[in-house]
Amino acid sequence: MALSLQQISDRFEIQDLIVSYCYAVDSGEFDALDDCFTPDAVIDYSEMVGVKGSLDEIKKFLKESLGAVKAYLHAVSTTQYTITGDTARTRTAVYNPMQIDDNGQSRVMVFNLWYHHEYIRTEAGWRISSLREQACISENVPDWVKALTQ
């Protein structure tokens, strides 16, 4: 199937949003998320860390919760796209190792998950209107982190 120039452009713009989200979180520049999401976006981390909320609520959560994390790095790949006019959906594979201090010991826990995004084309370009994380494989996760989803 040949893609039109518009379809190619849409895919690149959406992929840039996914990457911008990851870089904003990994660099701790949470206000940069304002350029990724619609003002009324819903962000659902409930399967991974038990939190769901608005953009402002999630930015506050990230600022408070990631302080215990020494380093983290999102790697995203294999995105599936469904684009219909001015709306779109994606499913993206995510690999996210995180170095934490666990009772004085350095530990690297790894989350492998799926990002499910919904998008709306706005006057400013594509924006994320919804993000839901779906758990897949987790490794070396301490009990206190697992308890967040209980």
Side-chain angles (χ1 to χ4, degrees):
M1 166 180 95
L3 297 175
S4 70
L5 193 53
Q6 183 64 57
Q7 290 170 318
I8 293 168
S9 177
D10 289 342
R11 285 177 178 232
F12 275 120
E13 289 178 47
I14 289 169
Q15 184 64 35
D16 283 348
L17 275 177
I18 297 168
V19 171
S20 293
Y21 166 80
C22 293
Y23 274 81
V25 172
D26 290 346
S27 66
E29 296 176 14
F30 305 120
D31 287 335
L33 295 173
D34 295 345
D35 294 330
C36 299
F37 289 89
T38 61
D40 61 345
V42 175
I43 302 164
D44 185 354
Y45 297 158
S46 56
E47 272 191 50
M48 301 300 297
V49 291
V51 175
K52 178 179 178 179
S54 68
L55 178 57
D56 287 338
E57 291 168 330
I58 294 301
K59 285 170 34 178
K60 182 180 179 195
F61 166 77
L62 291 171
K63 288 175 187 173
E64 293 172 355
S65 67
L66 291 179
V69 179
K70 295 179 180 180
Y72 34 93
L73 175 68
H74 286 81
V76 294
S77 64
T78 57
T79 299
Q80 278 183 320
Y81 299 85
T82 303
I83 302 171
T84 308
D86 292 335
T87 62
R89 292 174 177 242
T90 58
R91 179 180 180 212
T92 302
V94 181
Y95 174 77
N96 187 12
M98 304 173 89
Q99 183 180 9
I100 60 170
D101 180 16
D102 186 25
N103 296 319
Q105 298 288 332
S106 181
R107 173 195 294 233
V108 176
M109 63 179 178
V110 178
F111 294 114
N112 298 281
L113 60 141
W114 297 101
Y115 280 162
H116 295 271
H117 285 97
E118 294 182 10
Y119 308 85
I120 296 174
R121 189 191 318 265
T122 71
E123 290 182 12
W126 287 100
R127 293 295 182 266
I128 303 165
S129 59
S130 173
L131 165 58
R132 180 178 63 85
E133 293 181 340
Q134 178 187 1
C136 187
I137 301 168
S138 298
E139 303 172 54
N140 206 26
V141 179
D143 290 339
W144 61 270
V145 174
K146 291 178 187 174
L148 296 172
T149 61
Q150 310 283 322

